[in-house]
Amino acid sequence: MRIFRTKTAAAAIAVCVLGAGIALAQDSPESLLPPGFNEPVAPPAPQPTTAPGPRAPGGLTLAPTTLGRPAAPSAPEAGGDDAPADPAADALLAEAQAAALAQAKARYEAALSARRSLTRVGPAGPAEGALGPDAFRGVNGVFAETLMRRLDAPIASRWLSIALRKTLMSRVDTPADVGGADFAAERAWLLLRMGESVAGRAVAESVDPEHYTPKLYQVMMQAALATGDPGALCPAVNGGAALAGERGWVLAKGMCAGLAAQPSAPIMKALERKGVARGIDMLLARKVAGMGASGRQAITVEWAGVDQLTAWRFGLALATGTAIPETLLGTVAPHVQSWRALSPMLSVRDRIAPADYAAARGVLSSAALVDLYGAIDADDDQSLAEISVARDLRTAYAAGTRAERMTALRGLWDEPKTADGRYARLILTARAAARVPVDTAEADVGRLVGSMLAAGLDRSALRWRERAEQGSDAWAMLLLANPDVAPQMPYRQVSAYSDDALKQRMLFAGLAGLGRLSRDDISRGAEALDVKVGAENGWTRAIDRAARLDQPGLVVLLAAIAMQTSDWRGVPPEALYRIIGAMRAVGLGGQARMIAAEAIARL
């Protein structure tokens, strides 16, 4: 299957998910492997039954060990001492070996007893900024899984994407009506579609391999490929090959054998004869297998005749350092660009190209983006196109005069031609903007404030509050981003803001959702601006109920459902009003403020 996505209108998705006829089938994620990889594999010939031994870290079964008794003595080596051994020494040796094996067995059994429970699954806790374990308390798990499966990423808001990532990564209690492994699989699958390859893999790996379900095996395969690490499959390779029904897992057995320094060439040849894979898919698998200590064969991969880039080809090429032609990279879904931006296996110059997209979608932080450009600045190849951006960024941070720093910032902000590029530059320059001294003569207050808020630097941005002209974008963003409890403002100030009708409606929706307008002014503004804050449908009832029952996990999911568009102009102001109000009600007021301010910055 190709790594493509089909864009679906937000309204259609909401109707499908929230209408009376919700589809509750446990759909598995669509395979991203090449055509034919889901066909059944011929069963292996019967093998003699032996007692299973402990598993190595790579998931390969070790030879059975006789516990509690010494092995039979072997014949003496040529040239060795062939005199009979001392019986007393033999007895001591046997006792020591038995004791060591007994301790090893006890440690192994203790490790098995320490398996993680499926009642609470996820890699991140509140200390990492994630939600608490009760984030989905009382939520219908099948409904939540359906929302995750149907959500069409990316979504409009960078800050809501960040909130959604934290929600999906949270170590949360599994709803009573779904299994912990499948609930983790749906969370990981959505993260991968958002471009969050590292987070998606972390969620999949928060379940022990012995608890994997067919759905989680499929998602784990895709997470390993998205991160370019086929070795991540090895702890689950035996179960995956037996249960998942995908040829990729059968090939993974051969790759894992090679990575564990075991002979893999006979395995791969046998799989090729059986037709498990051929062509470039088999070449890449053989190249991975040859990366182990026993690998000897040099394999050249040619892309001639390949017209589609599958996740299999992407992941194994990434793992083996095989360059992918730009023509194939141009055919993939946008989220794959975020996978590339996150990949440490790629050079900095290869990660820079997709970095703007990843930053605008919340996948890369401001600090991570600065680090990438810092690495470019230190690169020996000074002919790179991005070197001028890196130099301007250095000037914006460290120039001797305020004028020089502002000139560099304006150059960075003015250059990009796309909306994502322009917003990514605000993210990139956030901390440089925070270092600019407040000046009454500054004409670029709006972009300074927008830059700081793009990275969540609300206190730094508020230093410009007295310099932001009333009715300007900077004034509007600071009204929304202010973390302090502020008195309610009169509606007439909102009505005087901006000639852009949509911006005016978004400011009204944000302030109303944050509780910064009186009830009378909300009614007045809703009528004057035609923002239907009182309209009801399945989505509004669902998010209001989730807020009332204090279910932050479900609130974030439903908020994302209403933002299934890559353009902020596709987000209805009345939906923003409900989202901001619901998030504030469940303790996510900080994220709500940033989302509201982002609406002004990106319109």
Side-chain angles (χ1 to χ4, degrees):
M1 177 239 172
R2 302 168 191 244
I3 317 178
F4 293 100
R5 61 183 286 274
T6 302
K7 195 67 192 166
T8 307
I13 290 290
V15 169
C16 288
V17 174
L18 298 170
I22 291 178
L24 302 182
Q26 297 299 300
D27 300 338
S28 61
E30 187 175 359
S31 173
L32 294 183
L33 299 179
F37 265 64
N38 282 326
E39 297 173 9
V41 180
Q47 298 293 324
T49 302
T50 58
R55 293 181 184 272
L60 301 171
T61 303
L62 303 174
T65 303
T66 305
L67 298 177
R69 52 180 290 192
S74 59
E77 296 181 9
D81 184 0
D82 58 357
D86 177 20
D90 275 353
L92 285 173
L93 178 61
E95 183 178 348
Q97 288 177 328
L101 289 169
Q103 289 177 3
K105 180 181 179 183
R107 286 195 297 270
Y108 176 67
E109 290 176 345
L112 291 180
S113 66
R115 292 171 179 166
R116 292 168 292 184
S117 169
L118 292 178
T119 59
R120 182 174 293 176
V121 178
E128 293 85 25
L131 301 184
D134 60 349
F136 288 91
R137 179 186 59 244
V139 172
N140 181 306
V142 177
F143 177 60
E145 285 188 348
T146 303
L147 291 177
M148 294 178 199
R149 193 177 315 126
R150 300 288 182 84
L151 204 156
D152 193 17
I155 58 179
S157 169
R158 162 185 163 82
W159 280 103
L160 183 54
S161 292
I162 292 171
L164 182 57
R165 179 185 68 225
K166 291 180 177 180
T167 297
L168 298 172
M169 290 187 72
S170 298
R171 192 176 302 114
V172 296
D173 295 336
T174 302
D177 51 349
V178 293
D182 279 351
F183 195 59
E186 294 292 359
R187 290 153 60 189
W189 178 227
L190 175 51
L191 284 164
L192 292 175
R193 302 195 316 271
M194 293 167 60
E196 299 280 3
S197 52
V198 176
R201 174 174 164 179
V203 172
E205 290 182 331
S206 65
V207 176
D208 291 325
E210 55 267 26
H211 292 151
Y212 276 22
T213 60
K215 182 184 294 185
L216 188 50
Y217 277 118
Q218 288 184 313
V219 172
M220 186 63 227
M221 169 67 73
Q222 295 167 34
L225 295 172
T227 53
D229 185 9
L233 300 171
C234 297
V237 71
N238 291 330
L243 297 178
E246 273 197 354
R247 294 188 176 197
W249 279 104
V250 178
L251 274 176
K253 293 196 73 170
M255 293 191 296
C256 289
L259 292 173
Q262 298 178 1
S264 61
I267 300 175
M268 304 306 285
K269 288 179 181 177
L271 293 175
E272 190 168 21
R273 284 196 302 270
K274 290 180 180 179
V276 173
R278 53 178 60 89
I280 195 169
D281 301 311
M282 178 56 79
L283 281 175
L284 287 167
R286 286 170 55 198
K287 192 165 185 176
V288 170
M291 291 168 67
S294 63
R296 296 289 184 270
Q297 185 180 6
I299 296 173
T300 302
V301 176
E302 298 288 348
W303 294 95
V306 177
D307 61 359
Q308 59 177 293
L309 184 60
T310 64
W312 180 264
R313 295 164 186 171
F314 172 85
L316 300 195
L318 199 61
T320 57
T322 302
I324 301 172
E326 287 294 329
T327 53
L328 289 178
L329 287 172
T331 67
V332 299
H335 64 256
V336 179
Q337 302 305 325
S338 293
W339 295 357
R340 295 179 65 218
L342 288 173
S343 176
M345 284 86 82
L346 292 175
S347 67
V348 174
R349 66 187 67 184
D350 288 332
R351 295 175 63 192
I352 278 286
D356 282 357
Y357 175 87
R361 299 297 161 210
V363 176
L364 282 185
S365 68
S366 174
L369 198 57
V370 169
D371 286 347
L372 281 176
Y373 278 100
I376 285 287
D377 192 26
D379 197 288
D380 292 336
D381 184 358
Q382 296 295 296
S383 65
L384 296 174
E386 293 81 8
I387 195 67
S388 62
V389 177
R391 288 172 178 167
D392 283 348
L393 184 63
R394 175 155 39 92
T395 300
Y397 269 93
T401 69
R402 182 185 185 284
E404 289 173 327
R405 287 154 69 180
M406 283 305 305
T407 298
L409 285 172
R410 291 190 183 99
L412 290 167
W413 294 334
D414 290 340
E415 182 198 14
K417 306 303 181 187
T418 66
D420 278 350
R422 289 190 290 272
Y423 191 60
R425 288 295 170 84
L426 294 181
I427 297 166
L428 175 67
T429 57
R431 284 169 175 78
R435 295 162 63 94
V436 174
V438 177
D439 190 327
T440 56
E442 180 53 58
D444 236 326
V445 178
R447 289 196 289 187
L448 283 167
V449 168
S451 180
M452 287 180 268
L453 294 180
L457 306 178
D458 51 2
R459 291 294 182 187
S460 296
L462 283 167
R463 294 184 302 120
W464 291 87
R465 184 166 40 188
E466 301 302 320
R467 305 293 178 248
E469 183 180 350
Q470 185 167 330
S472 65
D473 284 349
W475 168 84
M477 286 186 282
L478 291 173
L479 280 179
L480 295 165
N482 191 345
D484 299 325
V485 177
Q488 292 179 341
M489 61 178 296
Y491 169 71
R492 66 176 179 274
Q493 292 187 12
V494 178
S495 63
Y497 165 66
S498 185
D499 294 331
D500 186 318
L502 182 56
K503 275 191 174 184
Q504 191 179 72
R505 297 168 79 205
M506 287 297 199
L507 174 61
F508 165 74
L511 290 172
L514 290 170
R516 295 179 180 177
L517 293 174
S518 68
R519 285 180 177 272
D520 289 343
D521 278 346
I522 290 176
S523 297
R524 180 183 174 192
E527 182 177 357
L529 299 173
D530 193 26
V531 179
K532 299 176 174 58
V533 296
E536 287 194 7
N537 54 41
W539 176 81
T540 63
R541 287 189 289 271
I543 197 168
D544 288 350
R545 183 175 187 274
R548 188 169 61 252
L549 296 179
D550 194 19
Q551 297 169 331
L554 186 55
V555 164
V556 173
L557 271 178
L558 288 165
I561 286 289
M563 284 205 184
Q564 293 176 105
T565 172
S566 58
D567 187 344
W568 262 97
R569 291 191 174 272
V571 178
E574 49 266 29
L576 181 66
Y577 162 74
R578 296 278 183 165
I579 289 168
I580 299 302
M583 292 183 71
R584 187 169 66 94
V586 296
L588 301 177
Q591 293 94 322
R593 290 185 291 104
M594 292 299 104
I595 292 168
E598 181 188 349
I600 303 300
R602 299 186 75 170
L603 284 174

